[in-house]
Amino acid sequence: MIVVTGASGHVGRALVDQLLAQGAPVRAVTRDPDKAGLPAAAGTYRADLAADDPGPLFDGADALFVNLAAGGAPTCVRLVEAAAAAGVPRAVLLSSAGVTGTAEDADNAIAHMHSVVEQAVVASGMRWTFVRGGMFATNTLDWAGQIHASGAVRGPNATSVSAPVHQDDLAAVAAAALLDDTGTHDGAVHHVTGPEALTPPQMLDIIGHAIGRHLRYVELTRPEALAAMTANGVPEPVADAILDWSNADPARTGVVSDAVKNVTGRPARTFERWVTDNVEAFRR
Ligand SMILES: NC(=O)c1ccc[n+]([C@@H]2O[C@H](COP(=O)([O-])OP(=O)(O)OC[C@H]3O[C@@H](n4cnc5c(N)ncnc54)[C@H](OP(=O)(O)O)[C@@H]3O)[C@@H](O)[C@H]2O)c1
């Protein structure tokens, strides 16, 4: 039995589907099973992880998939400790490529929150694997409203580069680690990216091509971008960390890893492929 947190989210939903397809029993955690729309074959488990005692969540569990989006870092630390205390042998953590494993992590909110949970996982004594994701292709779903409204997308640094990664590839790497019985993934840190580094205007061109519209990227200054993100509810330290990433050395942010190919045997899905899979979100 594999416990999947964040099961109704982008990565969790893909992971649930892939685990079920490989015959693994799944316990999918959600705050609202009726709304989550998870496959009937997954056993759903209702919990607000930030508030509820994990209790029977770990009965019969062989592995735990941890997603910080399901309650935040302190919640995930508690969850990992509870899993270890319940005798769950393995944890796979969806972490971030922002983590450097150096003292610098303390100065970046995104790196810091993930490194705190990484440390808890290591300290738990469970067998562990980190899936450190680069920029999720799903982040561009945040552009959909502006694309619908005007075709002009406002954002920071037009020359920044990232290699957007498809949630199905993040899930495939996580599934391989969760189902591994050879020890190959024990203590492994997989830096998972898409197959090509792109600027935001290049990503926008790919979306525009898919929907048959000309889309424009409007570069904001850092203070303008910070104000726009915080107005949309992004906590300021997190917005600052995102802007640091978009202004960081392209040799770091644009890294293309071979983790998907190495772990799954298949090449990482392109951003074009991701847009094809999600094109309806961008149509008017
Ligand atoms: N975005 C990036 O570029 C990036 C890069 C690297 C790493 N990451 C990591 O990936 C995470 C995002 O993953 P994702 O896109 O798959 O997340 P997501 O789509 O936002 O899904 C998160 C799920 O967590 C569940 N959830 C939220 N609060 C909860 C709570 N209190 N208790 C139980 N469940 C709760 C929600 O399900 P219900 O509503 O059904 O409960 C939601 O569907 C980030 O938080 C970060 O740690 C992101």
Side-chain angles (χ1 to χ4, degrees):
M1 172 69 66
I2 297 176
V3 175
V4 176
T5 64
S8 67
H10 296 118
V11 178
R13 191 177 293 278
L15 178 60
V16 167
D17 287 344
Q18 293 184 29
L19 290 171
L20 291 174
Q22 294 178 69
V26 170
R27 186 169 292 148
V29 183
T30 168
R31 289 166 298 180
D32 190 343
D34 297 332
K35 276 200 201 144
L38 288 157
T44 49
Y45 184 98
R46 182 193 296 272
D48 178 342
L49 295 172
D52 300 338
D53 182 340
L57 176 56
F58 300 118
D59 282 355
D62 301 306
L64 168 68
F65 175 73
V66 185
N67 183 334
L68 267 76
T75 293
C76 289
V77 169
R78 277 200 308 278
L79 189 74
V80 164
E81 289 169 352
V88 179
R90 181 202 307 265
V92 173
L93 170 67
L94 179 60
S95 187
S96 165
V99 176
T100 63
T102 70
E104 280 175 31
D105 290 345
D107 301 327
N108 179 292
I110 294 175
H112 179 65
M113 70 174 93
H114 289 93
S115 76
V116 162
V117 185
E118 286 193 0
Q119 286 163 29
V121 169
V122 173
S124 74
M126 289 188 280
R127 295 160 62 194
W128 58 265
T129 307
F130 299 154
V131 177
R132 284 187 184 160
M135 178 213 158
F136 288 10
T138 51
N139 292 355
T140 63
L141 292 169
D142 290 346
W143 294 346
Q146 297 177 81
I147 290 173
H148 298 155
S150 66
V153 169
R154 296 154 58 81
N157 193 359
T159 61
S160 65
V161 287
S162 306
V165 56
H166 197 302
Q167 64 271 24
D168 289 354
D169 286 331
L170 291 157
V173 173
L178 287 161
L179 296 174
D180 173 46
D181 54 14
T182 65
T184 308
H185 296 280
D186 290 358
V189 177
H190 297 305
H191 177 193
V192 183
T193 74
E196 57 185 337
L198 299 168
T199 64
Q202 287 171 326
M203 294 179 215
L204 203 53
D205 280 349
I206 291 168
I207 296 170
H209 183 73
I211 62 173
R213 287 177 62 197
H214 174 67
L215 305 174
R216 254 178 344 111
Y217 191 78
V218 180
E219 183 177 276
L220 301 178
T221 63
R222 183 167 179 139
E224 287 169 343
L226 186 68
M229 280 192 263
T230 52
N232 275 334
V234 180
E236 188 164 335
V238 175
D240 252 328
I242 292 169
L243 292 171
D244 284 349
W245 178 264
S246 99
N247 289 306
D249 183 352
R252 168 154 189 246
T253 62
V255 163
V256 169
S257 87
D258 50 10
V260 175
K261 180 86 165 72
N262 287 346
V263 172
T264 70
R266 285 178 280 101
R269 292 162 173 88
T270 62
F271 187 65
E272 279 92 343
R273 163 69 190 274
W274 181 86
V275 172
T276 302
D277 291 346
N278 294 274
V279 70
E280 288 314 318
F282 299 107
R283 290 198 203 280
R284 263 194 269 246

